[in-house]
Amino acid sequence: MRLGVALGLVLTVLGCSWLPFTGPKRLSEVSVFVTTDVNGGYPVALDLVFVRNQKLFDQLSNMRAAEWFANRDDLRRQQPGAISVRSWEVVPGQQARNLPVGDDSRGSIGTLVFVDYTAGEGSYRASIKDRSSVRLILKKNDFEVVKE
């Protein structure tokens, strides 16, 4: 009887480590759909930024895309290990399904999307949280993040 109770206690204490992680979902893939009239017909840069520091995440969450693209190399050098970036350049009419993110999202507290539209004064930034896959729809002068 004592052995059964002791075994039960040990399994109860250790059992939590056997449970799958139930925290925020890691982003593992992205699909990108680009309208034919995007960005005045010119290619557009798109960055996924995986952030591992809350203070930096808050700072970047208030940054416009133009500012991000102008300063991203400096930010990466100043914050080694705090951010990972996946960059693509997409063209009007392009469709890219299930682009793998790889390990870049590992350990991140949040993911930001920046799109470098050449015209307009928008922020062209969005936050992605608790999603394993998303669809980004780049429109003429703005974009949309859709949970998949």
Side-chain angles (χ1 to χ4, degrees):
M1 174 91 162
R2 288 183 189 160
L3 181 60
V5 171
L7 184 58
L9 287 172
V10 169
L11 289 176
T12 300
V13 170
L14 295 176
C16 293
S17 66
W18 295 339
L19 296 174
F21 178 72
T22 57
K25 292 181 184 177
R26 277 186 39 216
L27 185 64
S28 59
E29 63 183 31
V30 174
S31 295
V32 181
F33 298 90
V34 186
T35 62
T36 56
D37 61 349
V38 73
N39 203 35
Y42 293 99
V44 62
L46 163 69
D47 278 1
L48 285 180
V49 182
F50 303 96
V51 187
R52 294 176 187 82
N53 173 295
Q54 186 63 53
K55 185 176 178 181
L56 181 59
F57 183 83
D58 295 342
Q59 175 188 349
L60 296 177
S61 294
N62 292 309
M63 190 175 282
R64 295 165 110 29
E67 186 180 1
W68 162 255
F69 284 102
N71 295 300
R72 71 178 168 186
D73 292 335
D74 287 339
L75 287 165
R76 291 169 83 176
R77 280 191 293 274
Q78 293 169 4
Q79 303 284 339
I83 58 175
S84 295
V85 181
R86 281 282 175 149
S87 299
W88 294 280
E89 185 171 90
V90 295
V91 296
Q94 181 175 353
Q95 293 186 13
R97 297 178 191 274
N98 306 323
L99 297 169
V101 172
D103 289 336
D104 286 336
S105 68
R106 189 174 309 256
S108 66
I109 58 157
T111 304
L112 295 165
V113 180
F114 291 99
V115 180
D116 195 18
Y117 285 97
T118 56
E121 296 297 320
S123 65
Y124 308 125
R125 170 201 66 244
S127 177
I128 301 173
K129 288 191 177 185
D130 295 332
R131 297 179 185 182
S132 58
S133 64
V134 295
R135 181 178 346 145
L136 303 175
I137 303 171
L138 279 65
K139 302 174 185 177
K140 183 176 182 176
N141 293 317
D142 204 2
F143 72 99
E144 180 180 357
V145 178
V146 179
K147 184 177 180 178
E148 292 205 311

